[in-house]
Tab-separated table of all heavy atoms in Angstrom:
chain	number	residue	atom	x	y	z
A	13	LEU	N	233.975	265.426	12.257
A	13	LEU	CA	232.614	265.095	12.679
A	13	LEU	C	231.676	266.249	12.582
A	13	LEU	O	232.045	267.376	12.988
A	13	LEU	CB	232.619	264.529	14.063
A	13	LEU	CG	232.808	263.073	14.225
A	13	LEU	CD1	232.608	262.675	15.717
A	13	LEU	CD2	231.815	262.288	13.399
A	14	PRO	N	230.470	266.047	12.107
A	14	PRO	CA	229.475	267.132	12.130
A	14	PRO	C	229.267	267.683	13.548
A	14	PRO	O	229.303	266.942	14.502
A	14	PRO	CB	228.213	266.474	11.615
A	14	PRO	CG	228.665	265.271	10.864
A	14	PRO	CD	229.900	264.847	11.529
A	15	VAL	N	229.077	268.958	13.624
A	15	VAL	CA	228.797	269.583	14.947
A	15	VAL	C	227.268	269.655	15.108
A	15	VAL	O	226.599	270.189	14.238
A	15	VAL	CB	229.424	270.991	15.038
A	15	VAL	CG1	229.053	271.643	16.389
A	15	VAL	CG2	230.929	270.880	14.870
A	17	ALA	N	223.613	270.483	17.253
A	17	ALA	CA	222.948	271.248	18.304
A	17	ALA	C	222.449	270.235	19.303
A	17	ALA	O	222.349	269.073	19.028
A	17	ALA	CB	221.777	272.001	17.694
A	20	ALA	N	216.649	268.377	20.534
A	20	ALA	CA	215.408	269.146	20.757
A	20	ALA	C	214.229	268.182	20.447
A	20	ALA	O	214.204	267.477	19.420
A	20	ALA	CB	215.371	270.311	19.771
A	22	ILE	N	210.899	266.754	19.105
A	22	ILE	CA	210.034	267.117	17.958
A	22	ILE	C	208.579	267.148	18.451
A	22	ILE	O	208.128	266.270	19.221
A	22	ILE	CB	210.163	266.101	16.782
A	22	ILE	CG1	211.632	266.146	16.326
A	22	ILE	CG2	209.231	266.464	15.645
A	22	ILE	CD1	211.933	265.217	15.132
A	29	ILE	N	206.219	264.782	20.820
A	29	ILE	CA	205.713	263.489	20.376
A	29	ILE	C	206.128	262.430	21.345
A	29	ILE	O	207.300	262.395	21.747
A	29	ILE	CB	206.274	263.166	18.964
A	29	ILE	CG1	205.596	264.082	17.917
A	29	ILE	CG2	206.176	261.704	18.612
A	29	ILE	CD1	206.169	263.989	16.560
A	30	SER	N	205.236	261.587	21.805
A	30	SER	CA	205.577	260.419	22.645
A	30	SER	C	204.753	259.238	22.186
A	30	SER	O	203.547	259.319	22.105
A	30	SER	CB	205.342	260.733	24.101
A	30	SER	OG	205.865	259.658	24.881
A	31	VAL	N	205.457	258.120	21.865
A	31	VAL	CA	204.772	256.948	21.306
A	31	VAL	C	204.488	255.998	22.468
A	31	VAL	O	205.135	256.018	23.486
A	31	VAL	CB	205.615	256.266	20.213
A	31	VAL	CG1	205.783	257.241	19.053
A	31	VAL	CG2	206.964	255.807	20.741
A	34	GLY	N	207.002	253.463	24.401
A	34	GLY	CA	208.346	253.898	23.997
A	34	GLY	C	208.997	253.120	22.892
A	34	GLY	O	208.272	252.607	22.027
A	35	HIS	N	210.313	253.027	22.981
A	35	HIS	CA	211.119	252.400	21.910
A	35	HIS	C	210.857	253.141	20.612
A	35	HIS	O	210.707	252.481	19.547
A	35	HIS	CB	210.835	250.936	21.776
A	35	HIS	CG	211.155	250.206	23.052
A	35	HIS	ND1	210.254	250.146	24.129
A	35	HIS	CD2	212.188	249.412	23.452
A	35	HIS	CE1	210.795	249.432	25.075
A	35	HIS	NE2	211.938	249.008	24.750
A	36	ALA	N	210.758	254.484	20.683
A	36	ALA	CA	210.518	255.228	19.478
A	36	ALA	C	211.688	255.026	18.461
A	36	ALA	O	212.865	255.154	18.855
A	36	ALA	CB	210.452	256.766	19.833
A	38	PRO	N	212.605	256.452	14.917
A	38	PRO	CA	212.179	257.404	13.882
A	38	PRO	C	212.755	257.125	12.480
A	38	PRO	O	213.719	256.351	12.345
A	38	PRO	CB	212.748	258.722	14.382
A	38	PRO	CG	213.927	258.299	15.207
A	38	PRO	CD	213.657	256.973	15.790
A	39	ASN	N	212.088	257.686	11.480
A	39	ASN	CA	212.631	257.703	10.113
A	39	ASN	C	212.085	258.960	9.468
A	39	ASN	O	211.110	259.509	9.863
A	39	ASN	CB	212.195	256.462	9.345
A	39	ASN	CG	213.180	256.101	8.235
A	39	ASN	OD1	213.592	256.940	7.488
A	39	ASN	ND2	213.586	254.860	8.223
A	40	TRP	N	212.823	259.419	8.456
A	40	TRP	CA	212.512	260.770	7.846
A	40	TRP	C	212.351	260.494	6.349
A	40	TRP	O	213.268	260.248	5.621
A	40	TRP	CB	213.703	261.682	8.107
A	40	TRP	CG	213.534	263.122	7.710
A	40	TRP	CD1	214.328	263.813	6.859
A	40	TRP	CD2	212.557	264.067	8.215
A	40	TRP	NE1	213.870	265.135	6.761
A	40	TRP	CE2	212.792	265.287	7.571
A	40	TRP	CE3	211.443	263.938	9.084
A	40	TRP	CZ2	211.998	266.392	7.862
A	40	TRP	CZ3	210.655	265.037	9.351
A	40	TRP	CH2	210.936	266.253	8.724
A	41	ARG	N	211.064	260.471	5.923
A	41	ARG	CA	210.703	259.987	4.592
A	41	ARG	C	209.488	260.678	4.069
A	41	ARG	O	208.569	260.914	4.841
A	41	ARG	CB	210.375	258.488	4.718
A	41	ARG	CG	210.887	257.622	3.649
A	41	ARG	CD	212.331	257.672	3.546
A	41	ARG	NE	212.911	256.808	2.579
A	41	ARG	CZ	214.214	256.653	2.487
A	41	ARG	NH1	215.054	257.298	3.274
A	41	ARG	NH2	214.729	255.843	1.557
A	42	ASP	N	209.455	260.981	2.754
A	42	ASP	CA	208.233	261.557	2.134
A	42	ASP	C	207.210	260.424	1.966
A	42	ASP	O	207.453	259.509	1.177
A	42	ASP	CB	208.573	262.192	0.797
A	42	ASP	CG	207.343	262.799	0.130
A	42	ASP	OD1	206.256	262.844	0.809
A	42	ASP	OD2	207.447	263.294	-0.997
A	55	GLN	N	206.933	252.155	17.161
A	55	GLN	CA	206.741	252.146	18.626
A	55	GLN	C	206.659	250.723	19.087
A	55	GLN	O	206.391	249.801	18.320
A	55	GLN	CB	205.451	252.938	19.035
A	55	GLN	CG	204.185	252.267	18.568
A	55	GLN	CD	202.930	253.018	19.083
A	55	GLN	OE1	202.981	254.234	19.263
A	55	GLN	NE2	201.846	252.255	19.285
A	71	THR	N	212.066	273.923	5.186
A	71	THR	CA	213.031	274.435	6.158
A	71	THR	C	212.426	274.547	7.561
A	71	THR	O	213.196	274.670	8.522
A	71	THR	CB	213.544	275.811	5.716
A	71	THR	OG1	212.439	276.677	5.458
A	71	THR	CG2	214.371	275.731	4.438
A	73	PRO	N	209.764	272.285	9.273
A	73	PRO	CA	208.790	271.201	9.323
A	73	PRO	C	207.844	271.450	10.535
A	73	PRO	O	208.260	271.935	11.576
A	73	PRO	CB	209.635	269.958	9.594
A	73	PRO	CG	211.070	270.310	9.404
A	73	PRO	CD	211.159	271.828	9.547
A	83	ALA	N	198.844	248.285	5.755
A	83	ALA	CA	199.219	247.477	4.581
A	83	ALA	C	197.952	246.878	4.056
A	83	ALA	O	197.245	246.169	4.828
A	83	ALA	CB	200.186	246.397	4.998
A	84	ASP	N	197.572	247.214	2.852
A	84	ASP	CA	196.266	246.821	2.281
A	84	ASP	C	195.105	247.066	3.240
A	84	ASP	O	194.310	246.113	3.499
A	84	ASP	CB	196.313	245.327	1.843
A	84	ASP	CG	197.024	245.196	0.441
A	84	ASP	OD1	197.309	246.229	-0.129
A	84	ASP	OD2	197.159	244.059	0.000
A	90	LEU	N	203.702	245.044	14.026
A	90	LEU	CA	204.813	244.140	14.212
A	90	LEU	C	204.744	243.678	15.591
A	90	LEU	O	204.414	244.472	16.482
A	90	LEU	CB	206.118	244.927	13.918
A	90	LEU	CG	206.190	245.150	12.413
A	90	LEU	CD1	206.624	246.506	12.091
A	90	LEU	CD2	207.041	244.070	11.736
A	91	ASP	N	204.979	242.438	15.830
A	91	ASP	CA	204.788	241.925	17.221
A	91	ASP	C	205.635	242.744	18.161
A	91	ASP	O	206.741	243.151	17.849
A	91	ASP	CB	205.155	240.467	17.308
A	91	ASP	CG	206.492	240.280	18.060
A	91	ASP	OD1	207.501	240.513	17.454
A	91	ASP	OD2	206.433	239.925	19.170
B	1	MET	N	212.234	247.243	21.610
B	1	MET	CA	212.132	247.404	20.130
B	1	MET	C	210.937	246.739	19.621
B	1	MET	O	210.818	245.512	19.634
B	1	MET	CB	213.428	246.826	19.512
B	1	MET	CG	213.371	246.695	18.001
B	1	MET	SD	213.439	248.330	17.271
B	1	MET	CE	212.679	248.011	15.739
B	3	ALA	N	208.362	248.215	16.479
B	3	ALA	CA	208.506	248.494	15.072
B	3	ALA	C	209.687	249.478	14.825
B	3	ALA	O	209.885	250.359	15.660
B	3	ALA	CB	207.255	249.105	14.515
B	5	PRO	N	210.673	251.247	11.409
B	5	PRO	CA	210.473	251.355	9.940
B	5	PRO	C	211.718	251.788	9.137
B	5	PRO	O	212.314	252.781	9.524
B	5	PRO	CB	209.346	252.378	9.832
B	5	PRO	CG	209.487	253.177	11.085
B	5	PRO	CD	209.936	252.282	12.154
B	16	GLU	N	209.994	251.892	-3.383
B	16	GLU	CA	210.502	251.670	-2.043
B	16	GLU	C	209.639	250.675	-1.242
B	16	GLU	O	208.405	250.838	-1.291
B	16	GLU	CB	210.587	253.018	-1.329
B	16	GLU	CG	211.927	253.687	-1.496
B	16	GLU	CD	212.110	254.816	-0.466
B	16	GLU	OE1	211.198	255.202	0.211
B	16	GLU	OE2	213.232	255.298	-0.441
B	20	SER	N	211.074	246.192	8.478
B	20	SER	CA	211.146	246.451	9.957
B	20	SER	C	211.525	245.232	10.731
B	20	SER	O	211.066	244.090	10.399
B	20	SER	CB	209.721	246.961	10.429
B	20	SER	OG	209.798	247.163	11.848
B	24	THR	N	210.037	239.792	18.825
B	24	THR	CA	210.369	238.343	18.817
B	24	THR	C	210.146	237.635	17.444
B	24	THR	O	210.288	236.420	17.427
B	24	THR	CB	209.568	237.612	19.862
B	24	THR	OG1	208.199	237.734	19.591
B	24	THR	CG2	209.867	238.101	21.261
B	33	LYS	N	203.785	249.545	-2.877
B	33	LYS	CA	202.829	249.606	-4.004
B	33	LYS	C	203.029	250.918	-4.727
B	33	LYS	O	203.414	250.955	-5.896
B	33	LYS	CB	201.408	249.503	-3.522
B	33	LYS	CG	201.130	248.108	-2.887
B	33	LYS	CD	199.658	247.811	-2.800
B	33	LYS	CE	198.958	248.703	-1.825
B	33	LYS	NZ	197.538	248.252	-1.522
B	35	GLN	N	204.165	255.250	-3.576
B	35	GLN	CA	204.846	255.910	-2.504
B	35	GLN	C	204.028	255.899	-1.206
B	35	GLN	O	202.898	256.416	-1.153
B	35	GLN	CB	205.137	257.375	-2.911
B	35	GLN	CG	205.987	258.055	-1.885
B	35	GLN	CD	206.709	259.293	-2.475
B	35	GLN	OE1	206.259	259.792	-3.488
B	35	GLN	NE2	207.768	259.684	-1.891
B	38	PHE	N	201.752	250.035	1.098
B	38	PHE	CA	202.471	248.776	1.176
B	38	PHE	C	201.504	247.585	1.198
B	38	PHE	O	200.381	247.662	1.603
B	38	PHE	CB	203.342	248.720	2.397
B	38	PHE	CG	204.270	249.850	2.496
B	38	PHE	CD1	203.913	251.040	3.195
B	38	PHE	CD2	205.473	249.869	1.791
B	38	PHE	CE1	204.733	252.162	3.214
B	38	PHE	CE2	206.308	251.007	1.865
B	38	PHE	CZ	205.917	252.088	2.563
B	40	PRO	N	200.747	243.570	2.568
B	40	PRO	CA	200.954	242.954	3.855
B	40	PRO	C	202.403	242.341	3.951
B	40	PRO	O	202.980	241.978	2.961
B	40	PRO	CB	199.876	241.806	3.847
B	40	PRO	CG	198.789	242.350	2.994
B	40	PRO	CD	199.531	243.093	1.898
B	136	TYR	N	229.146	256.580	17.354
B	136	TYR	CA	229.540	256.772	15.951
B	136	TYR	C	230.811	255.929	15.711
B	136	TYR	O	231.799	256.081	16.443
B	136	TYR	CB	229.768	258.229	15.690
B	136	TYR	CG	230.535	258.511	14.440
B	136	TYR	CD1	229.936	258.445	13.175
B	136	TYR	CD2	231.918	258.933	14.548
B	136	TYR	CE1	230.690	258.714	12.033
B	136	TYR	CE2	232.633	259.222	13.388
B	136	TYR	CZ	232.036	259.105	12.121
B	136	TYR	OH	232.691	259.389	10.974
B	171	ARG	N	217.581	252.965	25.444
B	171	ARG	CA	217.244	252.187	24.219
B	171	ARG	C	217.063	253.057	23.005
B	171	ARG	O	215.990	252.998	22.307
B	171	ARG	CB	216.034	251.272	24.500
B	171	ARG	CG	216.297	250.309	25.620
B	171	ARG	CD	215.199	249.306	25.746
B	171	ARG	NE	215.410	248.483	26.957
B	171	ARG	CZ	214.501	247.700	27.504
B	171	ARG	NH1	213.330	247.567	26.906
B	171	ARG	NH2	214.790	246.993	28.516
B	173	LYS	N	217.105	254.835	19.378
B	173	LYS	CA	217.157	254.419	17.993
B	173	LYS	C	217.384	255.631	17.106
B	173	LYS	O	216.574	256.542	17.033
B	173	LYS	CB	215.770	253.788	17.569
B	173	LYS	CG	215.425	252.525	18.330
B	173	LYS	CD	216.245	251.336	17.941
B	173	LYS	CE	215.924	250.110	18.775
B	173	LYS	NZ	216.417	250.136	20.136
B	178	ASP	N	217.763	265.186	6.399
B	178	ASP	CA	217.911	266.674	6.390
B	178	ASP	C	216.610	267.228	6.967
B	178	ASP	O	215.608	267.391	6.282
B	178	ASP	CB	218.167	267.159	4.968
B	178	ASP	CG	218.345	268.660	4.971
B	178	ASP	OD1	218.358	269.274	6.033
B	178	ASP	OD2	218.437	269.222	3.871
B	179	TYR	N	216.590	267.505	8.289
B	179	TYR	CA	215.372	267.946	8.973
B	179	TYR	C	214.915	269.373	8.535
B	179	TYR	O	213.754	269.660	8.324
B	179	TYR	CB	215.588	267.880	10.452
B	179	TYR	CG	214.347	268.314	11.307
B	179	TYR	CD1	213.249	267.425	11.321
B	179	TYR	CD2	214.330	269.473	12.007
B	179	TYR	CE1	212.118	267.819	12.106
B	179	TYR	CE2	213.243	269.861	12.773
B	179	TYR	CZ	212.146	269.019	12.802
B	179	TYR	OH	211.022	269.333	13.534
B	190	GLY	N	215.123	258.375	18.704
B	190	GLY	CA	213.957	258.028	19.499
B	190	GLY	C	214.410	257.356	20.778
B	190	GLY	O	215.495	256.741	20.791
B	191	ASP	N	213.577	257.408	21.857
B	191	ASP	CA	214.039	256.812	23.100
B	191	ASP	C	212.892	256.058	23.750
B	191	ASP	O	211.829	255.875	23.198
B	191	ASP	CB	214.639	257.909	24.073
B	191	ASP	CG	213.545	258.767	24.798
B	191	ASP	OD1	212.313	258.570	24.508
B	191	ASP	OD2	213.901	259.559	25.637
B	302	GLY	N	206.835	255.994	27.719
B	302	GLY	CA	206.698	256.676	26.432
B	302	GLY	C	208.009	256.677	25.670
B	302	GLY	O	209.026	256.146	26.120
B	303	GLY	N	207.956	257.296	24.492
B	303	GLY	CA	209.177	257.414	23.671
B	303	GLY	C	209.112	258.751	22.933
B	303	GLY	O	208.213	258.983	22.147
B	305	VAL	N	210.844	261.750	20.428
B	305	VAL	CA	211.677	261.750	19.236
B	305	VAL	C	212.415	263.138	19.259
B	305	VAL	O	211.775	264.155	19.404
B	305	VAL	CB	210.911	261.658	17.935
B	305	VAL	CG1	211.808	261.712	16.707
B	305	VAL	CG2	210.066	260.356	17.911
B	307	VAL	N	215.530	265.751	17.642
B	307	VAL	CA	216.314	266.012	16.462
B	307	VAL	C	217.546	266.807	16.945
B	307	VAL	O	217.454	267.717	17.793
B	307	VAL	CB	215.570	266.753	15.301
B	307	VAL	CG1	215.047	268.122	15.792
B	307	VAL	CG2	216.413	266.860	14.076
B	309	VAL	N	220.161	269.086	15.189
B	309	VAL	CA	220.413	269.695	13.945
B	309	VAL	C	221.932	269.948	13.735
B	309	VAL	O	222.601	270.377	14.634
B	309	VAL	CB	219.607	271.030	13.835
B	309	VAL	CG1	220.080	271.901	12.687
B	309	VAL	CG2	218.146	270.737	13.784
B	311	ARG	N	225.020	271.911	12.652
B	311	ARG	CA	225.290	273.350	12.561
B	311	ARG	C	226.130	273.627	11.318
B	311	ARG	O	226.894	272.794	10.886
B	311	ARG	CB	225.968	273.856	13.793
B	311	ARG	CG	225.008	273.864	14.933
B	311	ARG	CD	225.649	274.433	16.172
B	311	ARG	NE	224.625	274.843	17.115
B	311	ARG	CZ	224.689	274.625	18.471
B	311	ARG	NH1	225.749	274.025	18.937
B	311	ARG	NH2	223.756	274.980	19.245
Side-chain angles (χ1 to χ4, degrees):
Chain A
L13 270 186
V15 178
I22 299 182
I29 287 171
S30 185
V31 298
H35 301 78
N39 209 310
W40 188 239
R41 220 61 175 186
D42 182 6
Q55 67 176 31
T71 52
D84 277 358
L90 288 136
D91 107 283
Chain B
M1 170 70 205
E16 269 194 350
S20 176
T24 60
K33 295 199 291 190
Q35 187 159 21
F38 305 93
Y136 163 76
R171 298 188 189 168
K173 299 287 178 286
D178 182 6
Y179 181 70
D191 79 354
V305 181
V307 62
V309 169
R311 288 182 163 139

